[in-house]
Amino acid sequence: MDLYGEFEWRGLVHDATEGAREALGQGQVTGYIGFDPTAPSLHVGSLLVMTALAHMQRCGHAPIAVVGGGTGLIGDPSGKTVERQLLTGEKVEENVAGIRAQLARFLDFDSTTAPARLVNNAEWLNKITAIDFMRDIGKHFSVNAMLAKDSVKRRLESEDGITYTEFSYSLLQAYDFLELFDRFNCTLQMGGSDQWGNITVGMDLIRRVRGAKVHGLVLPLITTASGTKFGKTESGTIWLDPALTKPYEFYQFWLNTHDRDAVKYLKFFTFLHRPEIEELERMTVREPERRHAQRKLAHEVTRLVHGAEAVRDAEVAGQKLFGGSLATMSVADLLQVFPNVPSTTADYVDAGWPIVEFLATSGVVTSKSEATRLIRGGGIYINDERVTDEKFRLLPVHAIQGQLFVVRKGKKDNYLVRLVR
RNA sequence: GGGGAGGUGGCGGAGCGGUCAAUCGCAGCAGACUGUAAAUCUGCCGUCCUAGUGGCUACGGAGGUUCGAACCCUCCCCUCCCCA
């Protein structure tokens, strides 16, 4: 299958170098994407480039995922307006380990025909000496040209300026590309659209020192129909790590995708083929209330990231919490979904708890003031029943079979609070 | 260097001595409607609590005048525009 055509149909090509399409059409290409270990987990914002790597492999090309154990120690100034805080070496290593595992889910390392690789650029960046770097790499760059780069220019104009460290970042990334070219004959670098500048620097370096023409392709910035930042919800970033974002929340995030974004995201984040996506599009137009596209999207993406079992749990939990009345539900049923939804415990107290205090200490809200505001606005429900009185005293007998409270904030934020004796 | 305009809550943008925690719009949260949508309408919207004619923090920074300052004065910092 033609990778470029696949990308194009899915709307994944924001920009590409001339000849990239042809190069991908003539035999196997080795391409890479870099991942910054700035956090211990990737988030949904990285999902697009991850699927891009997987698409490469599916089309018979050889993908390389590079985790920036070396560059992570510096920090990419692209898109940043202020100097970054440097991460410690241990922190970076920790983050690298977490990210590696997440990337591994998307790639097949055992393929004999189109092998995937996972490398850490610390492998070469930590070894090169300052003198070598300046002689072999630095010599090929004109500071005049570097100063003209947008990301640098913005920072030069800003009050805080830019340090030499961040200024040199793009050279390190260029060196990565060169190293991968030498080691694996890697001739393509992909990335988010903010990486275009860094990618072209690497292409220039390879052209100068090896006389070879390599390619770059950048993916679009993900936008939402409502104009909000993709990948954030009220409760924060949607992470890929199940310890940071429960698979249930992850599933709900996708399920709540805006109608106008659902099909676009199916193309972006799933590997479903064109006929199936087009059928889902038709179904969604016909019966928008069924949210065919959103359901499939949530199902597929959750499966890719967390596995089939997690999807089943997330779907069951969703049906339980949104499906019917809690009254007909057994504690056993609810306890079954307990680990899948945000949940806490509360210590048993005979006399019960003032509702406001209960909400604050269980972590459903951040302060008693917020609890009061929500109750006055009619946005708090205990076991499906709206709390109308902020002075209400919650008693152990109110718990479902004396064991469990289902606390709901607004329409869709469910929390389970279990009583502990 | 000279002249002019301006810095207010997440953003935009009013206010120009008391009734200012600060009009309004956007964003956000909650409610109604619905499809766990969108649009629309309603309420909330610095923050905390014992919820009160409550506490704390806030109109670039530091001082000052005043019973009282986002608002007046002084100095400083920063942004934008015009001229050199």
Side-chain angles (χ1 to χ4, degrees), chain A residues 235 244-250 252 317 321 334 337-345 362-364 404-408 412-418:
Chain A
S235 41
L244 297 173
T245 301
K246 283 174 179 283
Y248 164 80
E249 296 170 90
F250 188 85
Q252 288 288 322
L321 292 170
L334 286 167
V337 305
F338 193 82
N340 301 316
V341 303
S343 47
T344 44
T345 55
S362 64
V364 175
L404 199 63
F405 293 105
V406 177
V407 181
R408 185 148 60 85
K412 13 183 170 172
D413 276 346
N414 281 296
Y415 300 81
L416 290 180
V417 182
R418 193 169 42 156

Side-chain angles (χ1 to χ4, degrees), chain A residues 302-356:
Chain A
T302 308
R303 189 175 58 79
L304 285 165
V305 174
H306 296 300
E309 202 175 316
V311 173
R312 212 192 48 235
D313 290 346
E315 285 175 344
V316 167
Q319 283 158 15
K320 293 239 159 87
L321 292 170
F322 290 102
S325 78
L326 289 171
T328 63
M329 216 169 285
S330 71
V331 169
D333 268 355
L334 286 167
L335 283 176
Q336 193 197 332
V337 305
F338 193 82
N340 301 316
V341 303
S343 47
T344 44
T345 55
D347 289 327
Y348 180 93
V349 180
D350 254 337
W353 316 259
I355 184 67
V356 167

Side-chain angles (χ1 to χ4, degrees), chain A residues 78 121 206:
Chain A
S78 303
N121 64 13
I206 293 172

Side-chain angles (χ1 to χ4, degrees), chain A residues 177-228:
Chain A
F177 201 174
L178 176 64
E179 186 71 25
L180 292 166
F181 175 80
D182 287 345
R183 288 190 183 200
F184 307 115
N185 191 31
C186 173
T187 55
L188 171 71
Q189 182 180 174
M190 299 188 290
S193 53
D194 58 330
Q195 290 300 309
W196 185 253
N198 288 336
I199 291 173
T200 54
V201 172
M203 289 166 35
D204 284 346
L205 178 66
I206 293 172
R207 183 169 44 79
R208 281 191 200 138
V209 304
R210 300 289 183 262
K213 164 89 174 151
V214 293
H215 294 282
L217 186 157
V218 286
L219 309 167
L221 198 72
I222 306 168
T223 57
T224 65
S226 44
T228 54

Side-chain angles (χ1 to χ4, degrees), chain A residues 2-5 8 16-26 215 217:
Chain A
D2 163 35
L3 180 68
Y4 198 95
E8 226 170 19
T17 48
E18 223 168 287
R21 175 198 296 271
E22 290 70 25
L24 284 165
Q26 297 159 1
H215 294 282
L217 186 157

Side-chain angles (χ1 to χ4, degrees), chain A residues 69-267:
Chain A
T71 38
L73 293 166
I74 303 294
D76 184 356
S78 303
K80 299 282 183 299
T81 51
V82 288
E83 183 86 9
R84 286 220 213 158
Q85 197 69 41
L86 288 182
L87 295 168
T88 63
E90 301 90 78
K91 188 73 201 147
V92 168
E93 268 173 50
E94 223 178 281
N95 293 349
V96 165
I99 290 171
R100 278 184 89 102
Q102 290 169 355
L103 286 168
R105 289 196 68 94
F106 278 76
L107 300 170
D108 175 8
F109 300 102
D110 302 323
S111 166
T112 47
T113 52
R117 292 189 182 88
L118 185 59
V119 297
N120 183 343
N121 64 13
E123 221 177 284
W124 53 86
L125 289 179
N126 287 4
K127 276 188 205 136
I128 190 163
T129 67
I131 297 295
D132 284 346
F133 186 77
M134 294 209 184
R135 284 183 67 99
D136 298 344
I137 309 300
K139 202 66 185 165
H140 300 285
F141 291 93
S142 137
V143 168
N144 309 46
M146 287 170 71
L147 289 173
K149 282 183 48 174
D150 265 357
S151 59
V152 172
K153 218 160 47 183
R154 257 204 315 277
R155 290 279 291 274
L156 282 176
E157 285 161 5
S158 88
E159 197 188 332
D160 305 304
I162 182 167
T163 61
Y164 180 74
T165 304
E166 285 198 11
F167 174 66
S168 322
Y169 178 89
S170 63
L171 267 64
L172 292 180
Q173 191 167 329
Y175 180 57
D176 279 351
F177 201 174
L178 176 64
E179 186 71 25
L180 292 166
F181 175 80
D182 287 345
R183 288 190 183 200
F184 307 115
N185 191 31
C186 173
T187 55
L188 171 71
Q189 182 180 174
M190 299 188 290
S193 53
D194 58 330
Q195 290 300 309
W196 185 253
N198 288 336
I199 291 173
T200 54
V201 172
M203 289 166 35
D204 284 346
L205 178 66
I206 293 172
R207 183 169 44 79
R208 281 191 200 138
V209 304
R210 300 289 183 262
K213 164 89 174 151
V214 293
H215 294 282
L217 186 157
V218 286
L219 309 167
L221 198 72
I222 306 168
T223 57
T224 65
S226 44
T228 54
K229 197 166 157 51
F230 173 78
K232 298 261 196 241
T233 67
E234 193 225 331
S235 41
T237 305
I238 304 296
W239 300 98
L240 302 192
D241 183 343
L244 297 173
T245 301
K246 283 174 179 283
Y248 164 80
E249 296 170 90
F250 188 85
Y251 182 94
Q252 288 288 322
F253 166 76
W254 296 101
L255 184 65
N256 282 308
T257 299
H258 196 295
D259 285 7
R260 278 179 286 165
D261 288 328
V263 170
K264 179 169 82 180
Y265 290 177
L266 279 171
K267 291 177 187 167

